[in-house]
Amino acid sequence: MQINRLFEIVYLLMERGNVTAGELAERFEVTTRTIYRDIDTLSGAGIPIYANRGRSGGIRLMDHFTLDKSLLSAQEQNEILFALESLKATNASHNGELLSRLSGLFHKGRIDWIDVDFCEWDSGREERERFDLLKTAILECFLLEFTYYNSNGEKSRRIVEPEKLSFKTGCWYLQAFCRTKQDFRTFKIGRMEAIELSQEHFQRRELPVPPLQSAADIGKRVRLKLWISPSAAYRVYDDFYPGGVSRNPDGSFTVIADYPESDWIYGYLLSFGEDLQVVSPPEVRSILLEKAKKIAAIYEK
């Protein structure tokens, strides 16, 4: 198509600076007369392109021309490049080439100013391949089948219509229509095993994907007042919002935080060991005391 050839001509000129009509004709398998007609078309569209004849001649763009002057602001260019760099975090394997092409098109010398990677340290090839498989299933509408463990450790085999990958509070989730449950469900990717890409396509449903929710978004919540020792300062700054943290004269911390009332919160609080005390509410203190006694009894045997 001519429009694709015109775009490619502009891209090549921006990348290489000077190209002869013969080189372009050979690349696109057309005559040089066609190339010169294309040059006239581009010139008429406002692209500052011109041809010099002679031994050192060729077709080139005026110095400092970038296509974005006609299409995108500098801020929009940076946002596009940032979005593509962020997409690399999902291991979309073809984004690197596109990122390089757009960087050249926008005349951006640096595209390595940010590196986003949501995978765990030393996660290896397996996790990267998992994201690539999920991406393919979503974009190309393939059914997915996998084994899933829910929050109670119950195991089930699911067949789903994948809709969206979501990242929240340090974890990846797959939002999909579950054919087993006949409803939309959210699956924590870390709990998915034996993921298989079906060769069966599905038709996207007209129903909107529900907003992502976790246990922290629903149910009863409890406000905790915590004392945390100075030796756990790194966790204070990692885990809690600054507005709920105050530092005491002895270097310890007082933290006010809201959490869902669930078994998860007790395991989380116990993970601090002797570096944390629950000041209030008293019922949470009592539950932690009972759990600590059971843990101690295991090691006393």
Side-chain angles (χ1 to χ4, degrees):
M1 293 178 63
Q2 185 192 30
I3 187 66
N4 292 337
R5 188 171 68 244
L6 294 176
F7 177 83
E8 190 73 11
I9 288 172
V10 174
Y11 172 77
L12 284 169
L13 294 175
M14 296 179 70
E15 184 181 53
R16 295 167 57 180
N18 188 82
V19 183
T20 68
E23 289 173 330
L24 292 174
E26 183 178 355
R27 179 183 180 92
F28 297 111
E29 299 180 348
V30 296
T31 66
T32 55
R33 179 176 294 183
T34 297
I35 293 298
Y36 282 119
R37 281 202 298 265
D38 288 343
I39 301 309
D40 289 339
T41 300
L42 289 168
S43 180
I47 305 296
I49 188 171
Y50 64 95
N52 284 332
R53 300 188 183 277
R55 288 186 61 184
S56 59
I59 299 167
R60 61 186 304 120
L61 295 166
M62 291 182 63
D63 292 342
H64 308 301
F65 170 77
T66 54
L67 188 61
D68 60 271
K69 290 179 179 177
S70 303
L71 300 177
L72 299 167
S73 68
Q75 181 179 351
E76 289 169 331
Q77 297 165 41
N78 286 329
E79 287 175 353
I80 289 172
L81 294 175
F82 173 76
L84 287 174
E85 185 65 44
S86 298
L87 277 175
K88 287 169 62 181
T90 66
N91 306 297
S93 56
H94 304 297
N95 282 336
E97 181 180 352
L98 178 58
L99 191 63
S100 296
R101 281 177 69 97
L102 283 179
S103 177
L105 190 65
F106 295 157
H107 281 196
K108 299 291 184 181
R110 289 285 307 274
I111 59 172
D112 60 348
W113 60 276
I114 184 171
D115 185 20
V116 184
D117 188 352
F118 291 119
C119 296
E120 297 289 341
W121 290 102
D122 302 320
S123 59
R125 187 179 64 184
E126 183 178 347
E127 186 171 355
R128 299 181 184 280
E129 290 177 346
R130 171 182 294 193
F131 276 104
D132 196 50
L133 186 149
L134 294 174
K135 179 201 70 174
T136 299
I138 292 171
L139 295 179
E140 300 184 22
C141 296
F142 282 113
L143 289 176
L144 275 178
E145 186 172 353
F146 53 87
T147 299
Y148 191 68
Y149 295 87
N150 66 17
S151 58
N152 295 320
E154 298 167 342
K155 176 181 176 181
S156 62
R157 192 70 180 166
R158 303 295 185 96
I159 298 176
V160 306
E161 301 168 10
E163 289 285 349
K164 183 188 295 186
L165 283 174
S166 299
F167 185 78
K168 187 172 184 179
T169 60
C171 296
W172 278 104
Y173 298 90
L174 172 69
Q175 292 180 267
F177 186 88
C178 179
R179 290 196 170 181
T180 306
K181 302 294 185 181
Q182 283 297 298
D183 199 0
F184 282 102
R185 290 289 189 271
T186 298
F187 301 96
K188 193 171 185 177
I189 292 178
R191 296 178 185 164
M192 297 166 61
E193 288 186 352
I195 305 173
E196 296 178 8
L197 185 69
S198 168
Q199 294 306 304
E200 180 183 346
H201 287 276
F202 66 91
Q203 185 73 33
R204 293 204 184 279
R205 298 174 185 268
E206 296 182 1
L207 298 172
V209 180
L212 185 67
Q213 286 189 314
S214 68
D217 301 316
I218 56 178
K220 184 180 177 182
R221 299 179 67 85
V222 59
R223 169 157 288 200
L224 301 173
K225 183 176 181 180
L226 311 173
W227 174 91
I228 300 177
S229 74
S231 60
Y234 71 99
R235 291 195 64 179
V236 172
Y237 294 116
D238 281 348
D239 292 8
F240 301 102
Y241 291 111
V245 176
S246 58
R247 190 154 196 164
N248 302 317
D250 62 355
S252 65
F253 300 87
T254 297
V255 176
I256 305 296
D258 289 329
Y259 283 103
E261 190 175 32
S262 65
D263 286 338
W264 171 86
I265 188 59
Y266 299 113
Y268 172 72
L269 295 174
L270 287 169
S271 72
F272 281 83
E274 62 186 4
D275 288 322
L276 179 145
Q277 293 183 35
V278 174
V279 179
S280 66
E283 57 268 25
V284 173
R285 288 175 56 90
S286 298
I287 293 172
L288 282 176
L289 177 60
E290 291 303 314
K291 289 182 177 294
K293 287 179 179 178
K294 291 178 181 179
I295 293 172
I298 293 173
Y299 291 99
E300 287 173 352
K301 291 180 181 179

